[in-house]
Amino acid sequence: MPENTPVDFSPSFEGSTFEYMVEAFTGSFGPFDAWRTGREQAISWKTGFWTDGTLSLVSGQYSYEWSVKAAPETAEWLSVILVRSGAIDLALGRTVVEGTAGRLLLVNNREADRFSVRGTPHQSDVLRLDWKVIAQTAAAILETPLIGTLRLAPTIDLSTPAGQLVRGLAQTIINGVRNNGPLIHSPIAMSHLTQAFANLVLRSIPHRFSHLLERKVHLPAPRHIRCAVEFMHANVGEPITMQNVAEASGVSIRALEGGFRTFKGTTPSAYLRAMRLRAAREDLLDPSNRQLLRDICLKWGFFHFGRFAASYRTAFGETPSETRRRSNGERMSGL
């Protein structure tokens, strides 16, 4: 389909007021902040929204310009934006990246300062993929927990081989989801395609850990590093020391540390700490988990709550309390 071909879809919502649009989107996405940027323009909009819970598609048409950004309570996802007419400006700190019909935008919604929709009429498709799928896929590929921002390159030139691959798979998913298409009713096929998309993005689009991925292709981790990682995973909730890890791997602590620096780009203790931070986050994101924050902190081996909270915020961009509140808010909105 040519990039500027109008999209034909049955809207889930349409209207002529900005407030109603925000209300409709909030019901589908949860809380977010939005404001108009072209107040002299008459408002007319319609959107289609389809989801299986892990992946969502929003097809939108807008006759006016507006901006949006994630609120602290907004769930974390990868936004994949295909603009068909008009543009979407993505603000990342002092940098503003333009998404047009020849470029695809990729970004963690929590890393963006704002998304600005412009051009009238504006038409775009936005895929939202639960960030946990990206984090789990990255951990499997890199054999290291994903802590902190991924910093994906935010734009993909659709004329490049990588751009054509990513766009092709994204378009396949869009076509299969739109109008409650077959993928919405095929959870196994949807799971395979979302995993394939996450894998393709991580292997073909530059990001903060690309150098580790390139090194991994040429230098497979030796047996003692694999043994150390397996031992850590099996005992992540136990009070193990680096001496325990070294003994389980059959090497000295010095050899263990050298191997981790070479093949994992970190130290074995930092690797274990990252695993435990991720495990604590999974507990905090579980709305059925009623443990106190301090109990979760102690459960995963963090004995100083203040230091844990600081490390957690550095890693995930929010405090443990904010994660817990957001998880509880999503649970209540789903009741």
Side-chain angles (χ1 to χ4, degrees):
M1 177 187 294
E3 288 298 330
N4 291 314
T5 300
V7 182
D8 179 21
F9 64 94
S10 301
S12 299
F13 307 100
E14 62 181 306
S16 58
T17 67
F18 184 72
E19 291 75 17
Y20 177 53
M21 186 197 75
V22 172
E23 180 183 347
F25 279 12
T26 299
S28 299
F29 306 144
F32 63 93
D33 296 324
W35 60 97
R36 290 188 62 186
T37 53
R39 296 190 179 278
E40 72 286 353
Q41 299 164 319
I43 290 179
S44 175
W45 60 273
K46 57 179 179 177
T47 65
F49 174 76
W50 303 276
T51 184
D52 74 337
T54 297
L55 181 139
S56 305
L57 168 64
V58 183
S59 291
Q61 298 183 9
Y62 312 98
S63 65
Y64 61 99
E65 299 181 353
W66 58 290
S67 296
V68 62
K69 69 176 182 179
E73 301 83 8
T74 307
E76 187 175 19
W77 63 71
L78 174 70
S79 293
V80 183
I81 304 171
L82 278 166
V83 175
R84 301 192 180 281
S85 65
I88 291 182
D89 292 331
L90 169 62
L92 298 166
R94 296 182 178 180
T95 302
V96 177
V97 179
E98 182 184 54
T100 58
R103 307 170 84 185
L104 182 147
L105 294 180
L106 279 172
V107 67
N108 179 307
N109 67 310
R110 289 181 163 271
E111 295 176 25
D113 292 294
R114 71 177 185 278
F115 301 87
S116 296
V117 176
R118 60 182 175 84
T120 57
H122 174 96
Q123 297 181 340
S124 59
D125 287 323
V126 181
L127 283 174
R128 303 184 318 150
L129 180 59
D130 189 328
W131 188 254
K132 284 188 286 189
V133 176
I134 299 295
Q136 291 166 358
T137 303
I141 293 174
L142 300 169
E143 297 181 353
T144 186
L146 178 60
I147 295 294
T149 59
L150 188 56
R151 291 207 298 268
L152 277 166
T155 61
I156 305 175
D157 185 342
L158 297 179
S159 67
T160 65
Q164 291 172 5
L165 278 172
V166 174
R167 180 192 181 279
L169 186 50
Q171 191 63 60
T172 296
I173 296 172
I174 289 169
N175 293 341
V177 170
R178 198 194 309 278
N179 294 324
N180 286 318
L183 283 181
I184 292 293
H185 308 287
S186 306
I188 295 177
M190 178 72 93
S191 176
H192 286 326
L193 283 173
T194 53
Q195 288 290 340
F197 187 79
N199 197 293
L200 178 61
V201 165
L202 289 165
R203 292 184 184 277
S204 61
I205 306 304
H207 52 77
R208 183 161 69 97
F209 299 99
S210 291
H211 68 287
L212 294 179
L213 188 60
E214 293 168 0
R215 181 186 301 166
K216 181 173 167 50
V217 171
H218 301 291
L219 295 172
R223 182 177 179 277
H224 71 275
I225 299 299
R226 298 197 302 273
C227 287
V229 170
E230 291 171 2
F231 181 79
M232 289 181 186
H233 275 290
N235 297 278
V236 65
E238 303 297 326
I240 57 175
T241 65
M242 288 306 104
Q243 183 63 46
N244 298 143
V245 178
E247 290 174 355
S249 307
V251 296
S252 67
I253 291 180
R254 183 176 181 180
L256 184 71
E257 290 178 343
F260 265 79
R261 290 187 184 280
T262 299
F263 295 98
K264 299 298 183 184
T266 187
T267 64
S269 58
Y271 188 96
L272 180 59
R273 184 167 58 253
M275 288 176 58
R276 288 172 168 168
L277 278 172
R278 176 62 63 179
R281 182 170 175 80
E282 291 301 316
D283 275 353
L284 292 170
L285 286 169
D286 180 2
S288 66
N289 190 316
R290 295 290 186 266
Q291 288 180 293
L292 298 175
L293 289 179
R294 289 188 178 276
D295 291 339
I296 292 175
C297 180
L298 292 171
K299 172 184 175 181
W300 296 111
F302 298 97
F303 301 104
H304 191 290
F305 184 76
R307 292 172 187 165
F308 165 72
S311 297
Y312 187 96
R313 182 166 188 170
T314 298
F316 303 113
E318 61 183 6
T319 66
S321 298
E322 289 170 340
T323 302
R324 167 63 55 91
R325 282 197 299 270
R326 180 161 53 82
S327 176
N328 288 339
E330 291 170 4
R331 177 180 65 85
M332 293 302 294
S333 66
L335 291 179

